[in-house]
Amino acid sequence: MNLRTLRAFVEVVRQGGFSQAAEVVSLTQSTVSKAVKTLEEELGMPLLNRLGHRNQLTAAGEIAYRRAQVLLAEHSDLLGEINDLRGLKRGMLRIGLPPVGCGVLFATMFATYRSRYPDIDIELTEYGSKRLRECLEEGEVDLAALLLPIDEGFDYQPVRNEPLIAVLPMNHPLTGRECIDFTDLADSPFILFEAGFALNAKILAACERKGVTPRVTARSGQIDFIVDLVAAGLGVAFLPRMLAHKHRHAGIALVALDEPHTDWHIALAWRANAHLPPAARAWLDLAAEQPLTGGPGN
């Protein structure tokens, strides 16, 4: 049993198939298949049930998958601690960011970081919040930008707190209001982000508290497209204030959303008991220099 075999098995489970896993680990499909078979022979039990084009974990596979994730994360920590010996003259910043808001928040920080630490390589991973948490748990990234509240097992440093803004078509009857809540929008179709975006959960939870069942008419992971859909009259959307103002144009109206517990409060998180490399600590120090909240027009 070796780490390469374990990595191949974990990626087969994570990616949902042998061919997809082969692309991730840069091996041939037959090599990945052989690695899983070797692992099964060493453990003396089947780990996967092959159901057509799908692979389902057996009971032994569940145990092997869980333990393999721990071993791979420990190996990642080992490499990180050894890299500490080199200090910030060499190393890697492995950071996971969500597609929503990362450009506005972090683009300038990346430029500043590069100027301060030109020899640090940056490995950027972009996913929705659910997948980013998994990457963090499995040691694939050292830091991940997540929305509060942060799950147990992670430490975190707040980065930015922005209220949500309702994005309405210009001809919507509520465009003249100073602020609105979800009861005001009960009859309006909603345009939400794709599944896996934590902002959706905040919006839907707030609707449930108000007894509102939203009618979702479209989903997208692209802010520009969401704003265009609103301008075309397809429905209403909700964006953090700084993003709403950045994407403002003539076809939409922005109205403050008076809903508690819906703020877009983003933080940088890391595993509580894991080693945090100097490159990641330097990123946290840089993030601490940024304002935690923006002005009304930001």
Side-chain angles (χ1 to χ4, degrees), residues 85-254:
L85 297 176
R86 302 186 180 97
L88 284 173
K89 291 185 178 180
R90 295 181 61 187
M92 177 175 288
L93 171 65
R94 302 184 309 155
I95 187 168
L97 300 178
V100 176
C102 63
V104 177
L105 275 181
F106 297 111
T108 302
M109 284 180 57
F110 275 113
T112 303
Y113 189 90
R114 174 64 70 196
S115 68
R116 292 184 186 180
Y117 313 108
D119 296 321
I120 298 293
D121 293 327
I122 300 174
E123 183 179 286
L124 174 62
T125 300
E126 283 190 287
Y127 288 116
S129 292
K130 181 180 178 181
R131 183 70 185 98
L132 282 179
R133 284 195 298 271
E134 293 174 353
C135 290
L136 203 54
E137 288 171 346
E138 295 163 10
E140 294 182 20
V141 296
D142 300 308
L143 296 171
L146 303 174
L147 290 187
L148 268 64
I150 303 296
D151 295 341
E152 290 185 8
F154 297 135
D155 289 332
Y156 66 91
Q157 176 178 305
V159 175
R160 187 85 171 197
N161 190 15
E162 291 281 330
L164 285 190
I165 296 291
V167 185
L168 311 179
M170 189 56 72
N171 62 354
H172 195 283
L174 298 177
T175 55
R177 297 272 292 273
E178 290 188 7
C179 66
I180 53 178
D181 60 27
F182 285 125
T183 57
D184 298 319
L185 296 169
D187 295 327
S188 298
F190 283 17
I191 301 170
L192 298 181
F193 288 98
E194 292 175 344
F197 284 69
L199 195 55
N200 287 346
K202 285 182 172 289
I203 293 169
L204 296 177
C207 286
E208 185 176 357
R209 288 192 296 269
K210 288 292 182 67
V212 173
T213 302
R215 176 165 53 93
V216 180
T217 189
R219 295 177 182 269
S220 175
Q222 303 297 321
I223 295 178
D224 285 335
F225 187 47
I226 288 175
V227 172
D228 286 341
L229 291 176
V230 172
L234 194 64
V236 302
F238 308 94
L239 294 175
R241 179 178 56 191
M242 61 186 295
L243 301 182
H245 284 280
K246 176 180 173 59
H247 293 271
R248 190 171 197 164
H249 67 65
I252 63 171
L254 305 180

Side-chain angles (χ1 to χ4, degrees), residues 51-71:
L51 305 173
H53 296 292
R54 296 187 300 108
N55 297 285
Q56 185 179 59
L57 284 171
T58 63
E62 294 280 359
I63 296 172
Y65 180 63
R66 185 177 70 250
R67 293 292 186 177
Q69 288 176 301
V70 173
L71 290 171

